[in-house]
Amino acid sequence: MQEQIGGEKQDIEKLLVQGNTVQFKPQGYSMYPLFVPGRDEAVVAPADPKQLKRGDVVLYRRDGSIMVLHRIWKRKEDGFYLVGDNQKEIEGPLRPDQMKGILVQVIRKGRQFSTGNVFYRLSAALWLWLRPLRPVLSQVAARCKRFIKKDRNNG
């Protein structure tokens, strides 16, 4: 699934082009666990493609399609390669003109944290490094949650 920015796609893009920062609730599960749909919010500022680097979460427009919020896997001469935090498949190359915004803050349960935070940067780097193992990690996490839930219901 992709983070589609609801019916406000064009308004968000227009606001970013005008130099504004926007706040919205991402949809879908491609950026889970960073974003839980319906709960968390993204704060995105206009992006300068020249400044974007590995690990940054960017809002980009697919050609003739939706806007998506994903993390930069790598940057090469032919463009950007992106991947959702809950995905294994890498998308790219994407052109610099497709990059519309960069995630600067996450709002979770009313609490804000900056993407410049050291803990955030370290966890993002670790999550990128673990990309090939994500399906296995997701299965283990799901089993642990079921076990804990079952244990609580029996106790």
Side-chain angles (χ1 to χ4, degrees):
M1 293 189 124
Q2 305 97 26
E3 270 58 42
Q4 182 173 343
I5 317 306
E8 302 177 57
K9 289 188 293 187
Q10 294 174 339
D11 294 339
I12 287 175
E13 187 173 353
K14 192 180 295 182
L15 287 167
L16 288 168
V17 168
Q18 294 169 352
N20 297 296
T21 298
V22 296
Q23 181 177 326
F24 58 89
K25 289 187 176 186
Q27 300 173 0
Y29 284 91
S30 70
M31 286 301 290
Y32 182 85
L34 180 61
F35 290 107
V36 173
R39 182 190 77 185
D40 302 330
E41 295 182 78
V43 179
V44 175
D48 176 359
K50 295 174 189 157
Q51 302 297 318
L52 297 175
K53 61 192 175 307
R54 178 180 167 86
D56 287 341
V57 174
V58 294
L59 182 64
Y60 65 99
R61 179 166 301 281
R62 289 185 174 148
D63 282 334
S65 186
I66 64 172
M67 292 188 76
V68 179
L69 193 63
H70 279 172
R71 192 175 302 278
I72 296 175
W73 168 250
K74 73 170 94 167
R75 182 181 182 159
K76 296 172 91 176
E77 280 188 34
D78 64 345
F80 293 92
Y81 292 80
L82 298 133
V83 64
D85 282 358
N86 194 30
Q87 297 177 322
K88 201 174 94 171
E89 304 303 318
I90 296 171
E91 180 178 4
L94 296 160
R95 300 179 315 277
D97 67 292
Q98 291 177 272
M99 305 298 125
K100 306 301 179 184
I102 182 170
L103 181 71
V104 293
Q105 263 186 352
V106 175
I107 302 172
R108 177 170 295 142
K109 297 180 182 177
R111 301 177 92 187
Q112 300 178 7
F113 63 89
S114 166
T115 57
N117 175 298
V118 173
F119 176 74
Y120 171 86
R121 296 303 292 182
L122 287 172
S123 61
L126 176 64
W127 199 241
L128 280 172
W129 184 76
L130 291 171
R131 184 189 62 81
L133 302 174
R134 288 180 190 171
V136 174
L137 293 173
S138 293
Q139 288 176 349
V140 169
R143 286 183 183 159
C144 288
K145 285 180 184 178
R146 282 195 301 271
F147 178 76
I148 290 168
K149 189 175 181 179
K150 183 179 175 183
D151 191 46
R152 283 184 185 159
N153 291 337
N154 291 334

